[in-house]
Amino acid sequence: MLEPAQNVLEKLVQSSNFSLKSDPSLVGAVASAAADDDKDRAEKQTEKGAKDTENALRRKPELRPVHRGSQQSIDATFWHLLHVLAQGLALSRRGAARGLAEHWGALKYNQALTGDARSFMELSAEGKETAKEHYKAIQSRELGTGFALVSARRILEQRYPDRIVSIVPADTALFAGWKKLGRYKPQYFAEVWKPRERSLVIPIACKGHHSNASTSHSQLASASAHVEQVHIGPWNETPVLIFSTELPPDGPVTVNTLCAKGSGGWLSNPRGESGKFDVQPDQENFFPDIHLPTEADESPATVPGFHVTPDRYEWFARVLARTAAAGVTAFAGDGGATAQYLTDRQGRKHFTGFTHAAAGSVRDACHTLFGIKFSGTDHIFRLNGTRVEAFSGVANDLLQLLVEGRVERYRHGVYERRSTWPSGSWSNSWNGPVSIHADGTVLAMRVLP
């Protein structure tokens, strides 16, 4: 018998926990997995008659645990997790016609997890059933993304409590400067920022699976090759975060994570007294190479990858701020506002052209939640046979700033209000779960009358 939709919504606001594992033994296991993978690649190349080095991967060196304790738990509601995942998917198609509505796909997981404050999250009966079908790889990848981004936010917010953490799709940002990205690249950038100060940018690679810990070791070894493709500042000084989420059919969710530290990742604050992020950066055509350190008498040497050198700091700072703004307006369903923040290669034209039926969103919904007026888009679907309404939007005054192209003022407004947003996860007047993030976005759902 199907569970009543209202009961499902009430469970979405229950707080539960998941484990964040990061210790020296994980570092060693990932190093071993990387060595085994390199050996397999070399053997395959030898069989083909090619040189071993032709298929060798560069991996991020000096990986380490993210915290001193071997394991810690993170508490979160299921609804918060779905909100984070939905925002991570809002630009996942880089502006393709279905990109505006891509984040609604997060709602297919509203019954995939179970747990409460006294236990750890794990796959529910529905989640386990789904994991048995062909949908298994998609489920582990997308839920893995959600858990990784929740973890990344929590880690960085603890490290930099006076800053805002924005998550930006890496491919969307990189397309502003490079024509072709290739297979290996991080999935996201975390921009850790504060008005009038330079930002810290951290590449993030995240994966997920339904297997055991050894699979996480292999996934983290692979993730280390993805983040190594981006260098911001000096060679091998860019801090990174890599994640592999275990979603076993029997047992709790565990997020395995490692990091690399360094003096890089810091961008210059764009020059100008005001409106520095309001100016669209040029679409560049950089050559995809990373400059290696050399002695004065040596010829310049490079390896393939994406290098944000000091002369590109201000440009990349604008790209990240405006791509993050595009993600916010896309989440609210405003294609016109989104298009102004993207270059052609990033997908600007897809937000202004024809949108296929059932694949687009329109910003035509307004709701007041916890006394705050939000504007955005809605989606009506059936949950266990009952019609429900989902709403995603942005605080009206902040969204209006982005519609007008005022990214600088939007960022100041977000920072000024970062500690004033309601902390509740259920609105009685709305009669459903509500999640509000520091960037002014909201995700809410309720049973239709």
Side-chain angles (χ1 to χ4, degrees):
M1 183 177 179
L2 296 177
E3 186 174 13
Q6 189 67 23
N7 290 358
V8 175
L9 300 189
E10 291 173 359
K11 288 182 177 179
L12 288 174
V13 300
Q14 289 183 354
S15 181
S16 191
N17 308 278
F18 62 89
S19 294
L20 189 70
K21 182 179 180 181
S22 187
D23 57 25
S25 67
L26 183 61
V27 175
V30 172
S32 296
D36 290 343
D37 182 64
D38 289 340
K39 181 179 178 182
D40 290 342
R41 287 172 177 273
E43 290 176 351
K44 290 177 181 178
Q45 288 300 302
T46 301
E47 292 174 0
K48 295 178 181 179
K51 294 181 179 179
D52 294 354
T53 57
E54 290 186 6
N55 205 34
L57 289 180
R58 297 194 335 271
R59 304 178 195 270
K60 189 70 178 179
E62 299 181 9
L63 293 173
R64 63 181 69 186
V66 299
H67 48 70
R68 293 180 179 177
S70 62
Q71 190 160 324
Q72 67 180 39
S73 63
I74 291 180
D75 63 293
T77 67
F78 304 124
W79 194 237
H80 173 70
L81 174 71
L82 295 182
H83 186 172
V84 171
L85 175 58
Q87 277 199 267
L89 296 174
L91 284 178
S92 63
R93 300 284 176 167
R94 295 187 301 277
R98 59 186 289 191
L100 277 173
E102 186 71 16
H103 62 278
W104 292 128
L107 297 183
K108 62 180 171 281
Y109 299 118
N110 54 35
Q111 292 178 273
L113 297 165
T114 187
D116 56 40
R118 300 180 303 276
S119 63
F120 285 84
M121 293 185 187
E122 59 182 84
L123 289 176
S124 64
E126 179 179 294
K128 295 175 184 178
E129 191 64 30
T130 302
K132 296 178 182 178
E133 306 299 332
H134 68 279
Y135 196 62
K136 179 178 182 178
I138 298 175
Q139 184 197 60
S140 61
R141 182 177 68 248
E142 292 187 338
L143 283 179
T145 296
F147 280 104
L149 295 184
V150 168
S151 302
R153 283 180 178 274
R154 194 69 60 89
I155 291 168
L156 296 174
E157 286 168 354
Q158 290 176 350
R159 287 183 184 174
Y160 306 95
D162 63 333
R163 288 175 173 260
I164 298 288
V165 178
S166 294
I167 302 295
V168 180
D171 54 358
T172 308
L174 292 173
F175 265 125
W178 291 268
K179 285 185 177 180
K180 296 182 179 180
L181 304 186
R183 176 183 175 187
Y184 287 94
K185 58 188 179 299
Q187 283 83 24
Y188 294 93
F189 292 119
E191 183 196 7
V192 187
W193 59 271
K194 183 179 182 179
R196 295 181 294 275
E197 296 188 13
R198 58 181 185 156
S199 297
L200 173 63
V201 182
I202 299 176
I204 296 173
C206 45
K207 298 172 180 286
H209 62 89
H210 291 296
S211 188
N212 52 32
S214 63
T215 302
S216 279
H217 304 157
S218 297
Q219 286 194 340
L220 289 172
S222 173
S224 69
H226 286 268
V227 292
E228 176 63 11
Q229 291 297 307
V230 174
H231 285 230
I232 301 171
W235 166 258
N236 267 337
E237 286 291 334
T238 306
V240 304
L241 286 168
I242 58 175
F243 298 91
S244 174
T245 300
E246 298 175 31
L247 297 151
D250 295 299
V253 173
T254 300
V255 178
N256 298 273
T257 179
L258 294 174
C259 71
K261 297 184 178 180
S263 62
W266 291 97
L267 302 178
S268 301
N269 200 20
R271 298 167 194 163
E273 293 301 319
S274 62
K276 53 199 173 188
F277 291 118
D278 300 347
V279 179
Q280 177 71 12
D282 293 333
Q283 178 171 278
E284 302 287 354
N285 292 299
F286 299 131
F287 193 79
D289 58 11
I290 298 172
H291 303 278
L292 301 177
T294 56
E295 298 296 335
D297 58 344
E298 293 179 336
S299 300
T302 63
V303 293
F306 313 101
H307 200 168
V308 181
T309 49
D311 58 308
R312 301 170 183 172
Y313 284 172
E314 290 189 29
W315 169 84
F316 199 54
R318 284 194 175 94
V319 167
L320 287 176
R322 293 178 69 84
T323 304
V328 171
T329 54
F331 191 70
D334 195 323
T338 302
Q340 68 179 313
Y341 295 119
L342 302 174
T343 67
D344 289 339
R345 203 158 55 225
Q346 286 180 298
R348 173 166 53 194
K349 67 179 181 179
H350 297 297
F351 283 100
T352 57
F354 170 77
T355 301
H356 192 276
S361 300
V362 179
R363 181 172 70 92
D364 61 355
C366 293
H367 295 289
T368 299
L369 302 165
F370 297 115
I372 304 170
K373 185 176 181 180
F374 292 90
S375 296
T377 185
D378 55 13
H379 179 54
I380 308 299
F381 66 103
R382 289 189 180 274
L383 177 59
N384 293 350
T386 301
R387 294 174 70 241
V388 296
E389 172 189 11
F391 170 69
S392 65
V394 183
N396 198 57
D397 58 329
L398 294 176
L399 181 58
Q400 187 58 37
L401 291 173
L402 292 180
V403 170
E404 297 170 0
R406 301 169 65 187
V407 181
E408 183 77 13
R409 187 66 199 95
Y410 163 79
R411 284 165 74 97
H412 277 270
V414 165
Y415 189 80
E416 291 164 0
R417 294 165 63 175
R418 67 190 187 283
S419 60
T420 66
W421 299 106
S423 58
S425 54
W426 182 277
S427 169
N428 290 327
S429 60
W430 169 262
N431 195 29
V434 176
S435 172
I436 300 176
H437 283 180
D439 59 1
T441 59
V442 65
L443 183 67
M445 190 160 64
R446 64 180 174 182
V447 173
L448 282 175

Coordinates of all heavy atoms in Angstrom, one line a residue, residues 180-221:
K180 N 37.3 23.2 -25.7 CA 37.1 21.7 -25.5 C 37.6 21.4 -24.1 O 38.6 21.8 -23.7 CB 37.8 20.9 -26.5 CG 37.2 21.1 -28.0 CD 38.0 20.2 -28.9 CE 37.4 20.4 -30.4 NZ 38.1 19.5 -31.4
L181 N 36.8 20.6 -23.4 CA 37.1 20.3 -22.0 C 37.7 18.9 -21.8 O 38.4 18.7 -20.9 CB 35.9 20.5 -21.1 CG 35.2 21.9 -21.2 CD1 34.1 21.9 -20.1 CD2 36.2 23.0 -20.9
G182 N 37.3 17.9 -22.6 CA 37.9 16.6 -22.5 C 37.1 15.8 -21.4 O 36.2 16.3 -20.7
R183 N 37.6 14.6 -21.1 CA 36.9 13.7 -20.2 C 37.2 14.1 -18.7 O 36.3 14.0 -17.9 CB 37.3 12.3 -20.5 CG 36.8 11.3 -19.5 CD 37.3 9.9 -19.8 NE 36.9 8.9 -18.8 CZ 37.3 7.6 -18.8 NH1 38.2 7.2 -19.7 NH2 36.9 6.8 -17.8
Y184 N 38.5 14.4 -18.5 CA 38.9 14.6 -17.1 C 38.8 16.1 -16.7 O 39.5 17.0 -17.3 CB 40.3 14.1 -16.8 CG 40.3 12.6 -16.8 CD1 40.6 11.9 -18.0 CD2 40.0 11.9 -15.7 CE1 40.6 10.5 -18.0 CE2 40.0 10.5 -15.6 CZ 40.3 9.8 -16.8 OH 40.3 8.4 -16.8
K185 N 38.0 16.4 -15.7 CA 37.8 17.7 -15.2 C 37.0 17.6 -13.9 O 36.2 16.7 -13.7 CB 37.1 18.7 -16.2 CG 35.7 18.1 -16.6 CD 35.1 19.0 -17.7 CE 33.8 18.4 -18.1 NZ 33.8 17.0 -18.6
P186 N 37.1 18.6 -13.0 CA 36.2 18.5 -11.8 C 34.7 18.7 -12.2 O 34.4 19.4 -13.2 CB 36.7 19.7 -10.9 CG 37.4 20.6 -11.9 CD 37.9 19.7 -13.0
Q187 N 33.8 18.3 -11.4 CA 32.4 18.5 -11.6 C 32.0 19.9 -11.2 O 31.1 20.5 -11.8 CB 31.5 17.4 -10.9 CG 31.5 16.1 -11.6 CD 32.7 15.2 -11.2 OE1 33.3 15.4 -10.2 NE2 33.1 14.3 -12.1
Y188 N 32.6 20.4 -10.1 CA 32.1 21.7 -9.5 C 33.3 22.5 -9.1 O 34.4 22.0 -8.8 CB 31.2 21.4 -8.4 CG 29.9 20.8 -8.8 CD1 29.7 19.4 -8.7 CD2 28.8 21.6 -9.2 CE1 28.5 18.9 -9.1 CE2 27.6 21.0 -9.6 CZ 27.4 19.7 -9.6 OH 26.3 19.1 -10.0
F189 N 33.1 23.8 -8.9 CA 34.0 24.7 -8.2 C 33.2 25.2 -7.0 O 32.0 25.5 -7.1 CB 34.4 25.9 -9.0 CG 35.3 25.6 -10.2 CD1 34.9 25.8 -11.5 CD2 36.6 25.0 -9.9 CE1 35.8 25.6 -12.5 CE2 37.4 24.7 -11.0 CZ 37.0 25.0 -12.3
A190 N 33.8 25.2 -5.8 CA 33.3 26.0 -4.7 C 34.0 27.3 -4.6 O 35.2 27.4 -4.5 CB 33.5 25.2 -3.4
E191 N 33.2 28.4 -4.7 CA 33.8 29.7 -4.6 C 33.4 30.2 -3.2 O 32.3 30.3 -2.8 CB 33.2 30.7 -5.6 CG 33.8 32.1 -5.5 CD 33.0 33.2 -6.1 OE1 31.9 32.9 -6.6 OE2 33.5 34.3 -6.2
V192 N 34.5 30.4 -2.4 CA 34.3 30.9 -1.0 C 34.6 32.4 -1.0 O 35.8 32.8 -1.2 CB 35.3 30.1 -0.1 CG1 35.1 30.4 1.4 CG2 35.2 28.6 -0.3
W193 N 33.6 33.2 -0.8 CA 33.7 34.6 -1.1 C 33.2 35.5 0.0 O 32.3 35.1 0.9 CB 33.1 35.0 -2.4 CG 31.6 34.7 -2.5 CD1 31.1 33.5 -2.9 CD2 30.5 35.5 -2.2 NE1 29.7 33.6 -2.9 CE2 29.3 34.8 -2.5 CE3 30.5 36.8 -1.7 CZ2 28.1 35.4 -2.2 CZ3 29.2 37.4 -1.5 CH2 28.0 36.7 -1.8
K194 N 33.6 36.7 0.0 CA 33.2 37.8 0.8 C 33.3 39.1 0.1 O 34.3 39.3 -0.6 CB 34.1 37.9 2.1 CG 33.7 38.9 3.1 CD 34.6 38.8 4.4 CE 34.2 39.8 5.4 NZ 35.1 39.7 6.6
P195 N 32.3 40.0 0.1 CA 32.4 41.2 -0.7 C 33.7 42.0 -0.4 O 34.1 42.1 0.8 CB 31.1 42.0 -0.2 CG 30.2 41.0 0.2 CD 31.0 39.9 0.9
R196 N 34.2 42.6 -1.4 CA 35.4 43.5 -1.4 C 36.7 42.7 -1.0 O 37.7 43.3 -0.8 CB 35.2 44.6 -0.4 CG 34.1 45.6 -0.8 CD 34.0 46.7 0.2 NE 33.5 46.2 1.5 CZ 32.2 46.1 1.8 NH1 31.3 46.3 0.9 NH2 31.8 45.7 3.0
E197 N 36.6 41.4 -1.0 CA 37.8 40.6 -0.8 C 38.0 39.5 -1.8 O 37.0 39.2 -2.5 CB 37.8 39.9 0.6 CG 37.8 40.9 1.8 CD 38.0 40.3 3.1 OE1 38.3 39.1 3.1 OE2 37.7 40.9 4.2
R198 N 39.2 39.1 -2.0 CA 39.4 38.1 -3.1 C 38.8 36.7 -2.7 O 38.7 36.4 -1.5 CB 40.9 37.9 -3.4 CG 41.7 37.5 -2.2 CD 43.2 37.4 -2.5 NE 44.0 36.9 -1.4 CZ 45.2 36.3 -1.6 NH1 45.6 36.1 -2.8 NH2 45.8 35.8 -0.5
S199 N 38.4 36.0 -3.7 CA 37.7 34.7 -3.5 C 38.7 33.5 -3.5 O 39.7 33.6 -4.2 CB 36.6 34.5 -4.6 OG 35.6 35.4 -4.5
L200 N 38.3 32.5 -2.8 CA 39.1 31.2 -2.8 C 38.2 30.2 -3.7 O 37.0 30.1 -3.4 CB 39.3 30.7 -1.4 CG 39.9 29.3 -1.3 CD1 41.3 29.2 -1.9 CD2 39.9 28.8 0.1
V201 N 38.9 29.6 -4.6 CA 38.2 28.7 -5.5 C 38.7 27.3 -5.3 O 40.0 27.1 -5.4 CB 38.3 29.1 -7.0 CG1 37.5 28.1 -7.9 CG2 37.8 30.5 -7.2
I202 N 37.9 26.3 -5.1 CA 38.3 24.9 -4.8 C 37.6 24.0 -5.8 O 36.4 23.8 -5.8 CB 37.9 24.5 -3.3 CG1 38.7 25.5 -2.4 CG2 38.3 23.1 -3.0 CD1 38.3 25.3 -0.9
P203 N 38.4 23.3 -6.6 CA 37.8 22.3 -7.5 C 37.3 21.1 -6.7 O 37.9 20.7 -5.7 CB 39.0 21.9 -8.4 CG 39.9 23.0 -8.3 CD 39.8 23.5 -6.9
I204 N 36.1 20.6 -7.1 CA 35.5 19.4 -6.4 C 35.2 18.3 -7.5 O 34.6 18.6 -8.5 CB 34.1 19.9 -5.8 CG1 34.4 20.9 -4.7 CG2 33.4 18.7 -5.2 CD1 33.1 21.5 -4.1
A205 N 35.5 17.1 -7.1 CA 35.2 15.9 -7.9 C 34.4 15.0 -7.0 O 34.8 14.8 -5.9 CB 36.4 15.2 -8.5
C206 N 33.2 14.6 -7.5 CA 32.3 13.7 -6.7 C 31.8 12.6 -7.5 O 31.4 12.7 -8.6 CB 31.2 14.6 -6.1 SG 30.4 15.7 -7.2
K207 N 31.7 11.4 -6.8 CA 31.2 10.2 -7.4 C 30.4 9.4 -6.4 O 30.4 9.8 -5.2 CB 32.4 9.3 -7.9 CG 33.3 9.9 -9.0 CD 34.5 9.1 -9.3 CE 35.4 9.7 -10.4 NZ 34.8 9.6 -11.7
G208 N 29.7 8.4 -6.8 CA 28.9 7.6 -5.9 C 28.7 6.2 -6.4 O 28.9 6.0 -7.6
H209 N 28.4 5.3 -5.5 CA 28.2 3.9 -6.0 C 27.4 3.1 -4.9 O 27.1 3.6 -3.8 CB 29.6 3.2 -6.1 CG 30.4 3.2 -4.8 ND1 30.3 2.1 -3.9 CD2 31.2 4.1 -4.2 CE1 31.0 2.4 -2.9 NE2 31.6 3.5 -3.0
H210 N 27.0 1.9 -5.3 CA 26.2 1.0 -4.4 C 27.0 -0.1 -3.9 O 26.4 -1.1 -3.5 CB 24.9 0.6 -5.2 CG 23.9 1.6 -5.5 ND1 23.2 2.3 -4.5 CD2 23.5 2.1 -6.6 CE1 22.4 3.2 -5.0 NE2 22.5 3.1 -6.3
S211 N 28.3 -0.1 -4.0 CA 29.1 -1.2 -3.7 C 29.8 -1.0 -2.3 O 29.2 -0.5 -1.4 CB 30.2 -1.4 -4.8 OG 30.9 -2.6 -4.6
N212 N 31.0 -1.4 -2.2 CA 31.7 -1.4 -0.9 C 32.9 -0.4 -0.9 O 33.1 0.4 -1.8 CB 32.2 -2.8 -0.5 CG 33.1 -3.4 -1.6 OD1 33.7 -2.6 -2.4 ND2 33.0 -4.7 -1.8
A213 N 33.6 -0.4 0.2 CA 34.7 0.7 0.4 C 35.7 0.6 -0.7 O 36.3 1.7 -1.1 CB 35.3 0.5 1.8
S214 N 36.0 -0.6 -1.2 CA 37.1 -0.7 -2.2 C 36.7 0.1 -3.5 O 37.6 0.7 -4.2 CB 37.4 -2.1 -2.6 OG 36.2 -2.7 -3.1
T215 N 35.4 0.2 -3.8 CA 35.0 0.9 -4.9 C 35.2 2.4 -4.7 O 35.6 3.2 -5.6 CB 33.5 0.7 -5.2 OG1 33.3 -0.7 -5.5 CG2 33.0 1.5 -6.4
S216 N 35.0 2.9 -3.4 CA 35.3 4.3 -3.1 C 36.8 4.6 -3.3 O 37.1 5.7 -3.8 CB 34.9 4.6 -1.7 OG 33.5 4.8 -1.5
H217 N 37.6 3.6 -3.0 CA 39.1 3.9 -3.1 C 39.4 4.1 -4.6 O 40.1 5.0 -5.0 CB 39.9 2.7 -2.6 CG 39.6 2.4 -1.2 ND1 39.8 1.1 -0.6 CD2 39.1 3.1 -0.2 CE1 39.4 1.1 0.6 NE2 39.0 2.3 0.9
S218 N 38.8 3.3 -5.5 CA 39.0 3.4 -6.9 C 38.4 4.8 -7.4 O 39.0 5.4 -8.3 CB 38.4 2.3 -7.7 OG 39.1 1.1 -7.3
Q219 N 37.2 5.1 -6.9 CA 36.6 6.3 -7.4 C 37.4 7.5 -6.9 O 37.5 8.5 -7.7 CB 35.2 6.4 -6.8 CG 34.2 5.5 -7.5 CD 32.7 5.8 -7.2 OE1 32.4 6.4 -6.2 NE2 31.8 5.3 -8.1
L220 N 37.9 7.5 -5.7 CA 38.7 8.7 -5.3 C 40.0 8.8 -6.1 O 40.5 9.9 -6.3 CB 39.0 8.5 -3.8 CG 37.8 8.7 -2.9 CD1 38.1 8.4 -1.4 CD2 37.3 10.2 -3.0
A221 N 40.6 7.6 -6.4 CA 41.8 7.7 -7.3 C 41.5 8.3 -8.6 O 42.3 9.1 -9.1 CB 42.3 6.2 -7.5

